[in-house]
Amino acid sequence: MKRKDKEKKDQKQEEIEIPISKDLNDNIDKMKEILTDCDDVIYREFNVGKRQNYRFAIVYVDGLVDKKLVSEYVLESLMQVARDEIPNPRMVGNNLYDLSKEGNIPITEVKDLKCLKKAIDSVLIGETIVLLDGFKEVLFISSRGWPVRGISEPVTESVTRGPRDGFTETGKVNTTLIRRRIRDPQLKLKYKQIGVKSKTDVAIMYLDDVVDKNILEEVNKRLDDIKVDAILESSFIEQLIEDNWLSPFPQIQDTERPDSVAAALYEGRVALVIDNTPFVLLLPATWNTLLQAAEDYYGRWSAAFIVRMIRYVAVPLSLVLPALYIAITSYHPGMLPTQLALYLAATRIDVPFPAFIEAFIMEGTLEILQEAGTRISGPIGTTIGIVGGLVIGQAAVEAGIVSPFMIIIVALTTIASFSLPSFGIAAGIRLWRFILMVLGAVLGFYGIVLGLMVLLTHLVSLKSFGIPYMEPYSNIINDFYDLKDSIIRVPHKFMKLRPKYLRIKNRVRMDNSQKVNDVSSESEGENKDDRKQ
């Protein structure tokens, strides 16, 4: 077994380390053999020098490179401009490679590659390589130029006040948007390639003087452990590195907003910028951070406090409202005032189904409408959701399938779920809503309480990269200061420290507020004295 493992390792090493030959034809033949039936790979051979006695070749993928850049700054420079200068013959020959690299290619990023496999990988990600006959090195030319989507406002996280730029599917653009907001040399960016076949670029971004090194080390370890063919979207990595894959609740936050990523980095969290997706991953994540929105920090603190209270009220409404209706109707009508109980009974006289079937029909119908509205984007999707809900609800009441009270319950539940800023949290609550509906139909209030106890136990036991999921609520005594940015949001002048539960090295983020107040009070006193004089 050990011998076979060693042979496999040696075979993999041989596949990775493909040496570069001095013969240009041999190198091109090897590349064509590896890139068989790849008609979009372009091989362009040409001669250089006064006597056309030096052979060159460039290789690139059509559609992934900027052809104008390659033509003007590589081909023209080597084929035409190089002839205008007549160097000493002794300088050419063995120094031809260095002369081409340092004196004839006016491009900012030029590197040396000494492995043909790395050269092929570079070609496949949109770069151009230059091969020289008689040299065992390859020039790497940065020439990416594929079509990209312009920067636009995020669709899933729109705000009334705040930045309107959002991430795109190009990783370089996304890291640039973050760099614009953090002009600090402590902001580090390290690249990894994940995916055996896709080789997707993943950028790890963090503030070196703030982040907890244990969390950073754990992130790198989990990323290195990923062995998969392709990473097509950030959710692939999210599901492969999260702590508990059985949980319906997300343990990693995703966002399309560069300002949200910058704020998370300032707190000491880690950002994963994945190429080919506009969603950036933030970790660790807690229940508290997932229920916060970027706009909470751009408006008045009093308005943000009210909005957050509304969100925390919307969570139990979205979770237990249908289950409470089923339990009260089926088992505990005595919990209602007499007049309301009589009215509820009167509305259900013509309904042929029990409360559970009635609620399940309406909730299931609404889930189908939401899915249809999501798949059909734009005005048509919105129209389907609104018109479908109104028409189906009204028709169901007139047909006697459901009661009018059930329509109100379903509408309130749906509106409450839409008020949550995190789609992952809303999806987890939707799943638990059906579980509580079943428990309410079987055991009444006892079933609902049992289900809530199981849910709370699960949430308390969850962790995100070693950080308890319910922080700061699960440890209020030690993390009491962190409550300033939880259900409530105090003014910025009082949030002088970063969250304690992240175990960061530098908690102080505002240490001059008192000095500013002192200076302002002194200036006011001087102005008063001037007025008196």
Side-chain angles (χ1 to χ4, degrees):
M1 289 295 289
K2 291 183 179 180
R3 187 180 299 172
K4 289 182 179 179
D5 293 339
K6 187 177 181 181
E7 289 176 358
K8 288 181 180 179
K9 286 183 180 180
D10 294 338
Q11 185 178 357
K12 288 182 179 179
Q13 191 70 17
E14 289 176 3
E15 292 175 358
I16 294 173
E17 300 293 337
I18 302 176
I20 298 175
S21 172
K22 281 190 175 183
D23 187 0
L24 178 63
N25 293 329
D26 188 21
N27 291 329
I28 292 178
D29 290 341
K30 285 181 181 178
M31 293 187 69
K32 288 184 177 180
E33 182 180 353
I34 296 173
L35 298 172
T36 305
D37 296 332
C38 296
D39 295 339
D40 55 344
V41 178
I42 308 300
Y43 303 87
R44 170 73 161 86
E45 298 183 39
F46 57 95
N47 296 325
V48 173
K50 205 74 174 177
R51 300 178 181 177
Q52 301 287 293
N53 54 339
Y54 299 111
R55 293 180 61 213
F56 282 65
I58 62 170
V59 183
Y60 63 89
V61 175
D62 188 19
L64 292 183
V65 302
D66 185 348
K67 286 188 176 181
K68 184 178 179 182
L69 182 147
V70 174
S71 299
E72 294 182 0
Y73 297 101
V74 179
L75 289 177
E76 184 178 350
S77 297
L78 290 172
M79 298 172 67
Q80 180 178 347
V81 178
R83 297 182 193 177
D84 297 337
E85 299 290 336
I86 306 177
N88 188 339
R90 295 178 182 177
M91 295 176 59
V92 190
N94 293 334
N95 295 328
L96 178 63
Y97 182 87
D98 295 330
L99 287 172
S100 302
K101 173 186 174 184
E102 298 172 4
N104 290 106
I105 301 179
I107 291 179
T108 56
E109 189 177 355
V110 180
K111 298 179 183 178
D112 296 318
L113 297 178
K114 298 184 179 181
C115 172
L116 201 61
K117 182 66 170 61
K118 291 182 179 179
I120 293 172
D121 291 341
S122 301
V123 169
L124 294 177
I125 63 174
E127 311 294 4
T128 301
I129 62 169
V130 180
L131 301 165
L132 286 77
D133 191 26
F135 292 87
K136 286 188 174 183
E137 291 177 309
V138 172
L139 281 177
F140 165 98
I141 308 296
S142 179
S143 59
R144 298 185 188 185
W146 56 76
V148 297
R149 178 171 65 90
I151 297 173
S152 58
E153 183 177 0
V155 178
T156 59
E157 298 175 85
S158 59
V159 295
T160 56
R161 179 176 180 178
R164 301 302 174 94
D165 55 341
F167 291 125
T168 68
E169 286 75 16
T170 306
K172 290 285 187 182
V173 175
N174 297 340
T175 55
T176 303
L177 291 174
I178 298 171
R179 280 280 186 191
R180 283 186 59 198
R181 289 166 167 82
I182 306 179
R183 303 175 183 182
D184 188 350
Q186 293 296 329
L187 177 61
K188 308 302 180 183
L189 189 154
K190 295 183 178 179
Y191 276 107
K192 289 182 180 290
Q193 282 192 341
I194 300 179
V196 177
K197 296 186 180 299
S198 67
K199 296 181 175 62
T200 305
D201 291 328
V202 177
I204 306 171
M205 302 188 72
Y206 57 92
L207 283 174
D208 193 46
D209 60 339
V210 178
V211 71
D212 180 15
K213 296 299 182 182
N214 293 324
I215 293 178
L216 185 61
E217 184 180 347
E218 183 65 22
V219 171
N220 281 283
K221 179 180 177 298
R222 295 189 188 185
L223 289 175
D224 292 336
D225 290 341
I226 296 177
K227 305 297 179 186
V228 66
D229 281 349
I231 300 294
L232 301 179
E233 213 275 333
S234 60
S235 61
F236 283 51
I237 292 181
E238 178 184 354
Q239 296 174 40
L240 289 171
I241 66 174
E242 63 185 356
D243 288 65
N244 188 346
W245 60 271
L246 285 172
S247 176
F249 298 100
Q251 296 124 63
I252 297 174
Q253 183 180 358
D254 60 83
T255 180
E256 288 185 272
R257 299 189 60 85
D259 55 326
S260 297
V261 175
L265 291 173
Y266 282 127
E267 286 186 346
R269 299 162 69 191
V270 180
L272 299 181
V273 184
I274 296 97
D275 198 18
N276 301 319
T277 173
F279 288 93
V280 172
L281 302 181
L282 301 175
L283 48 96
T286 63
W287 179 272
N288 184 43
T289 58
L290 291 169
L291 287 181
Q292 294 175 355
E295 201 171 12
D296 295 350
Y297 301 94
Y298 302 143
R300 301 293 299 171
W301 69 272
S302 53
F305 167 70
I306 295 172
V307 170
R308 285 191 179 180
M309 290 295 293
I310 291 173
R311 287 196 203 117
Y312 275 86
V313 170
V315 170
L317 287 179
S318 175
L319 183 63
V320 302
L321 209 55
L324 285 177
Y325 172 80
I326 294 171
I328 290 174
T329 304
S330 304
Y331 292 96
H332 314 284
M335 299 290 294
L336 297 175
T338 304
Q339 193 155 355
L340 180 59
L342 292 175
Y343 172 76
L344 182 61
T347 58
R348 300 198 70 256
I349 291 177
D350 297 329
V351 177
F353 303 112
F356 170 72
I357 301 298
E358 178 188 5
F360 188 82
I361 290 174
M362 289 310 301
E363 286 289 341
T365 303
L366 208 57
E367 292 292 332
I368 294 172
L369 286 174
Q370 288 184 35
E371 187 66 18
T374 303
R375 295 292 158 261
I376 305 176
S377 59
I380 299 177
T382 306
T383 304
I384 287 176
I386 296 174
V387 175
L390 291 173
V391 171
I392 292 176
Q394 184 66 27
V397 171
E398 292 180 357
I401 298 175
V402 297
S403 64
F405 206 81
M406 185 67 238
I407 299 296
I408 297 173
I409 294 292
V410 171
L412 285 174
T413 303
T414 305
I415 293 171
S417 66
F418 286 155
S419 66
L420 303 179
S422 171
F423 177 79
I425 288 286
I429 288 176
R430 283 161 63 185
L431 175 62
W432 269 93
R433 184 193 308 155
F434 284 96
I435 295 174
L436 292 178
M437 286 169 59
V438 174
L439 292 173
V442 176
L443 299 173
F445 278 166
Y446 301 103
I448 296 175
V449 172
L450 178 63
L452 291 176
M453 289 175 62
V454 173
L455 174 59
L456 289 175
T457 303
H458 170 68
L459 291 175
V460 171
S461 64
L462 271 182
K463 287 188 177 182
S464 177
F465 290 84
I467 303 300
Y469 196 62
M470 295 305 292
E471 285 280 8
Y473 312 116
S474 60
N475 194 8
I476 293 179
I477 296 176
N478 293 328
D479 300 339
F480 183 77
Y481 185 90
D482 294 340
L483 294 177
K484 291 183 177 182
D485 190 19
S486 56
I487 299 178
I488 62 174
R489 204 277 278 175
V490 299
H492 287 293
K493 63 186 295 184
F494 296 113
M495 292 194 291
K496 300 178 183 180
L497 302 178
R498 294 184 176 90
K500 183 179 179 181
Y501 64 85
L502 290 174
R503 306 167 189 166
I504 52 183
K505 295 186 292 186
N506 180 14
R507 288 196 62 203
V508 179
R509 59 180 169 189
M510 184 188 299
D511 59 356
N512 61 346
S513 57
Q514 188 63 37
K515 295 178 183 179
V516 172
N517 292 335
D518 294 341
V519 171
S520 62
S521 61
E522 289 176 5
S523 61
E524 288 178 3
E526 292 174 359
N527 292 334
K528 288 181 181 178
D529 293 338
D530 292 340
R531 291 194 202 104
K532 288 179 181 180
Q533 292 176 1

